[in-house]
């Protein structure tokens, strides 16, 4: 079983990463501001433009350490991928499935059914714990999501699935604001918006979705799958389509739930955000660091995996699901067992 190691996040603008023997060294100008042993890391996620040395890129590729580069505000730039894991037969089968509408739908419907199921589960947990301060619309949405989940199981095309997904997302986000229990003035949620996010809640959702997609991409590459070739999300240059497929089932229970915790536990506040000239709302640097610290802590929470019936860290869930997906593509499992949170 793969171990849960650390992820190094670089947020300070102007930081240059280099390699010194077996250590990752962070430099700001001529000053060394950090040093971390490479063998302690699972991933490096770099936000900025100053760069990473070729020596460090090579060491990450050789050691199987994921290195992802984003703009300072989270736009994906590049990934460093070393020697491919697994074998070519697994990827060839992945490509065959992606080229078949029927086979793609067979996998995609499990991703989307689980996404809707987990969104309903999150609403259900919040309703049971806080129904005295929530509107009846939450209960109505919970009831209406389950039929959509069932319809996904009988879908025949990917386009049909997208229709069910869109209807479920409309229901879910129509009552998302009900789950925000603190500081409604700052954290009011009206609808999902991005590129750019126009309110603090959407700013955090977009940031956490970026982190989750990165974790899913690293997990897929670790088991030998191609993170750029998906079954639900189709090919687009530079887009990790399979990572977006895999994260669908984890959005509500992993990412959305985490954002709600940040708000409801007062970890983020109005002062955590800044407004750009174009109206975009962005997290300030120090609050982003605190959110990443909390994200790393969340990864260490222990859960019981619903399919394996084994205890594991939350942070291992993307890796376990990637392994199960690879086993299904190889033919070791009849059907992909999506993650269903109860």
């Amino acid at each position: 079983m793969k171990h849960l190691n650390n992820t190094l996040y670089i947020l300070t603008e102007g930081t240059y990463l280099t390699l010194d023997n077996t250590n990752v060294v962070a430099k700001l100008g001529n000053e060394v501001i950090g040093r971390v042993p490479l063998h302690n890391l699972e991933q490096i996620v770099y936000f900025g433009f100053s760069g990473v040395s070729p020596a460090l890129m090579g060491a990450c590729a050789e050691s199987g350490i994921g290195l992802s580069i984003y703009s300072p505000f989270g736009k994906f730039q590049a990934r460093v991928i070393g020697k491919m894991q697994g074998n070519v037969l697994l990827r060839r089968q992945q490509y065959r499935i992606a080229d078949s509408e029927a086979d793609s739908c067979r996998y995609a419907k499990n991703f989307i059914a689980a996404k809707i199921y987990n969104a309903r589960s999150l609403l259900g947990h919040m309703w049971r714990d806080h129904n005295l301060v929530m509107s009846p619309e939450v209960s109505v949405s919970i009831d209406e999501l389950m039929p959509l989940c069932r319809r996904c199981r009988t879908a025949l095309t990917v386009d049909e699935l997208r229709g069910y997904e869109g209807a479920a997302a409309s229901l879910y986000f129509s009552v998302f604001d009900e789950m925000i229990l603190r500081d409604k003035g700052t954290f009011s949620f009206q609808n999902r918006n991005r590129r750019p996010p126009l309110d603090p809640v959407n700013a955090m959702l977009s940031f956490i979705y970026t982190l989750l997609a990165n974790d899913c991409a690293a997990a897929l590459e670790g088991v030998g799958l191609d993170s750029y070739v998906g079954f639900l999300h189709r090919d687009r240059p530079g887009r990790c389509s399979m990572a977006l497929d895999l994260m669908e089932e984890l959005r509500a229970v992993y990412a959305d739930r985490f954002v709600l915790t940040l708000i409801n536990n007062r970890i983020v506040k109005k002062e955590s955000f800044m407004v750009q000239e174009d109206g975009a709302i962005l997290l300030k640097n120090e609050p982003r660091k605190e959110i990443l610290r909390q994200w790393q802590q969340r990864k260490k929470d222990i859960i019981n995996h619903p399919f394996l019936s084994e205890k594991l860290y939350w942070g291992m869930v993307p890796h376990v699901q990637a392994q199960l997906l690879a086993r299904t593509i190889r033919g070791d499992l009849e059907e992909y067992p999506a993650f269903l949170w109860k």
Side-chain angles (χ1 to χ4, degrees), residues 209-229:
Y209 288 163
T210 295
L211 299 180
L212 180 56
N214 183 75
D215 287 348
C216 288
L220 290 163
E221 289 159 10
V223 300
L225 290 169
D226 189 332
S227 64
Y228 287 87
V229 178

Side-chain angles (χ1 to χ4, degrees), residues 153-263:
R153 302 289 299 153
T154 59
L156 298 177
T157 68
V158 172
D159 282 342
E160 184 182 355
L161 276 175
R162 293 193 182 105
Y164 297 143
E165 179 191 20
S170 179
L171 280 170
Y172 173 69
F173 282 120
S174 72
V175 294
F176 192 87
D177 188 66
E178 298 287 337
M179 295 189 286
I180 297 172
L181 308 175
R182 300 281 186 271
D183 196 0
K184 289 280 196 174
T186 299
F187 297 107
S188 175
F189 180 89
Q190 302 301 319
N191 53 63
R192 179 76 181 112
N193 56 71
R194 52 199 182 275
R195 301 188 191 98
L198 301 176
D199 59 75
V201 179
N202 276 291
M204 285 189 291
L205 287 173
S206 293
F207 183 54
I208 299 304
Y209 288 163
T210 295
L211 299 180
L212 180 56
N214 183 75
D215 287 348
C216 288
L220 290 163
E221 289 159 10
V223 300
L225 290 169
D226 189 332
S227 64
Y228 287 87
V229 178
F231 302 149
L232 175 68
H233 294 84
R234 308 315 293 173
D235 295 350
R236 183 182 298 174
R239 182 170 76 174
C240 293
S241 295
M242 181 57 79
L244 297 179
D245 284 1
L246 188 66
M247 73 178 280
E248 291 290 7
E249 63 204 70
L250 302 177
R251 282 182 186 265
V253 295
Y254 201 168
D256 298 358
R257 184 165 159 252
F258 176 71
V259 168
L260 290 169
T261 298
L262 294 175
I263 296 170

Side-chain angles (χ1 to χ4, degrees), residues 19-304:
L19 185 70
D20 180 17
N21 293 321
T22 59
N23 295 306
V24 180
V25 177
K27 292 184 175 180
L28 192 58
N30 293 322
E31 180 185 359
V32 174
I33 60 173
R35 182 184 296 267
V36 181
L38 195 63
H39 66 266
N40 287 346
L41 298 176
E42 178 178 306
Q43 291 189 73
I44 300 173
V45 182
Y46 180 93
F47 292 86
F49 292 125
S50 295
V52 179
S53 74
L56 179 56
M57 290 183 187
C60 288
E62 184 68 27
S63 303
I65 296 170
L67 172 58
S68 302
I69 300 173
Y70 295 83
S71 74
F73 300 115
K75 183 179 179 181
F76 176 76
Q77 303 291 321
R79 289 180 61 80
V80 173
I81 302 174
K83 297 176 181 177
M84 298 300 181
Q85 303 293 319
N87 59 63
V88 68
L89 298 180
L90 174 63
R91 291 193 174 218
R92 285 176 66 87
Q93 183 61 18
Q94 178 187 356
Y95 301 149
R96 291 190 190 100
I97 294 169
D99 286 339
S100 165
E101 172 76 16
D103 290 340
S104 291
C105 183
R106 183 163 56 90
Y107 284 84
K109 66 185 180 182
N110 284 9
F111 297 141
I112 297 305
K115 176 182 182 177
I116 297 172
Y117 180 94
N118 289 335
R120 182 179 183 273
S121 292
L122 177 58
L123 287 172
H125 278 271
M126 295 295 289
W127 175 254
R128 286 191 293 273
D129 293 342
H130 305 286
N131 63 82
L132 293 178
V133 296
M134 290 183 172
S135 72
E137 281 77 11
V138 176
S139 181
V140 172
S141 293
I142 292 170
D143 291 339
E144 292 180 354
L145 282 170
M146 186 50 77
L148 288 170
C149 182
R150 294 194 187 101
R151 287 174 198 158
C152 288
R153 302 289 299 153
T154 59
L156 298 177
T157 68
V158 172
D159 282 342
E160 184 182 355
L161 276 175
R162 293 193 182 105
Y164 297 143
E165 179 191 20
S170 179
L171 280 170
Y172 173 69
F173 282 120
S174 72
V175 294
F176 192 87
D177 188 66
E178 298 287 337
M179 295 189 286
I180 297 172
L181 308 175
R182 300 281 186 271
D183 196 0
K184 289 280 196 174
T186 299
F187 297 107
S188 175
F189 180 89
Q190 302 301 319
N191 53 63
R192 179 76 181 112
N193 56 71
R194 52 199 182 275
R195 301 188 191 98
L198 301 176
D199 59 75
V201 179
N202 276 291
M204 285 189 291
L205 287 173
S206 293
F207 183 54
I208 299 304
Y209 288 163
T210 295
L211 299 180
L212 180 56
N214 183 75
D215 287 348
C216 288
L220 290 163
E221 289 159 10
V223 300
L225 290 169
D226 189 332
S227 64
Y228 287 87
V229 178
F231 302 149
L232 175 68
H233 294 84
R234 308 315 293 173
D235 295 350
R236 183 182 298 174
R239 182 170 76 174
C240 293
S241 295
M242 181 57 79
L244 297 179
D245 284 1
L246 188 66
M247 73 178 280
E248 291 290 7
E249 63 204 70
L250 302 177
R251 282 182 186 265
V253 295
Y254 201 168
D256 298 358
R257 184 165 159 252
F258 176 71
V259 168
L260 290 169
T261 298
L262 294 175
I263 296 170
N264 293 336
N265 289 353
R266 296 188 173 91
I267 296 169
V268 290
K269 303 174 183 177
K270 182 178 181 178
E271 297 76 24
S272 302
F273 302 87
M274 58 184 173
V275 183
Q276 299 288 94
E277 290 184 2
D278 62 356
I281 304 294
L282 301 173
L283 281 157
K284 294 180 180 177
N285 197 44
E286 288 304 315
R288 276 204 300 172
K289 290 180 181 179
E290 177 58 23
I291 288 172
L292 289 172
R293 191 185 71 80
Q294 295 286 337
W295 179 250
Q296 289 300 97
Q297 284 299 117
R298 175 59 61 90
K299 287 184 179 183
K300 296 177 183 178
D301 288 351
I302 295 177
I303 64 163
N304 191 63

